[in-house]
Amino acid sequence: MDILISPVENIAGEHAAKRNKMMRSESMVRFGRLTFFAAVSALALTACSSKTEEKAADTTTASTTDTAAPAATTAAPAAAPAASAAPAADNTDTTDGTKLASFTGDATKGEAAFVACKTCHDPVQNKIGPHLGGVVGRKAGSVADYTYSPANKNSGITWTPEKLFQYLQGPQRVVPGTKMAFSGIPDAQKRADVIAYLATLK
């Protein structure tokens, strides 16, 4: 006995098959987008913290080397903490000797460079880091409703353009123990541009 399928049932079956295929396709696209954004976020956080991990590895290597050193060099480790101490709150010296006064910042270029900072900072609201509206001239650790590291809150720093120029070169050097896991901006002109942009945020 043959089973007859009416044209209406056949069309309905084809429509259901197409709908199922389309739904699977949409799900794959959504999953692909989610995976892409997760990967981009992971890369951004990895890029921000990779320098800190390298410094930690260097410190571990250095301490291993120090323990293997002869007894005659045991006085050297006592001097090491002084070398890694934070610069004074009013000190604006950079490691390469550059000064902000030698550069003219471009706020438009600074805004473009600031895109990398938006993972953690916003001009208006706190995110992973504090909001940066009005940061130029503000006392460090003073944004309400943000939990700072004790190192930052007690640093005594006021974020002058010159101090920001120094800090953005290497945040961990200027405020050891800061929560900011960003290795810094080695390009002095780019730092000047970012500071010019930050000065526009009120």
Side-chain angles (χ1 to χ4, degrees), residues 84-138:
S84 65
D90 60 347
N91 177 311
T92 59
D93 296 338
T94 58
T95 58
D96 61 3
T98 57
K99 301 282 184 194
L100 178 60
S102 302
F103 300 90
T104 302
D106 181 328
T108 303
K109 289 181 181 177
E111 183 175 13
F114 186 77
V115 167
C117 310
K118 285 187 174 185
T119 300
C120 299
H121 294 284
D122 184 83
V124 179
Q125 65 185 9
N126 295 334
K127 290 173 71 174
I128 294 170
H131 75 78
L132 296 179
V135 68
V136 178
R138 184 169 68 206

Side-chain angles (χ1 to χ4, degrees), residues 24-166:
R24 281 194 305 266
S25 176
E26 287 175 5
S27 294
M28 291 300 291
V29 168
R30 275 192 231 117
F31 180 74
R33 286 180 183 155
L34 185 65
T35 303
F36 172 76
F37 288 118
V40 168
S41 296
L43 286 173
L45 291 173
T46 301
C48 290
S49 65
S50 64
K51 204 66 154 179
T52 305
E53 292 169 4
E54 289 173 14
K55 286 181 184 177
D58 290 346
T59 304
T60 304
T61 304
S63 65
T64 305
T65 305
D66 288 345
T67 57
T73 60
T74 55
S84 65
D90 60 347
N91 177 311
T92 59
D93 296 338
T94 58
T95 58
D96 61 3
T98 57
K99 301 282 184 194
L100 178 60
S102 302
F103 300 90
T104 302
D106 181 328
T108 303
K109 289 181 181 177
E111 183 175 13
F114 186 77
V115 167
C117 310
K118 285 187 174 185
T119 300
C120 299
H121 294 284
D122 184 83
V124 179
Q125 65 185 9
N126 295 334
K127 290 173 71 174
I128 294 170
H131 75 78
L132 296 179
V135 68
V136 178
R138 184 169 68 206
K139 183 174 171 22
S142 64
V143 170
D145 300 326
Y146 183 77
T147 306
Y148 288 93
S149 64
N152 196 311
K153 190 158 186 77
N154 301 323
S155 67
I157 291 172
T158 297
W159 296 120
T160 63
E162 294 78 15
K163 191 66 178 181
L164 283 165
F165 187 75
Q166 177 195 48

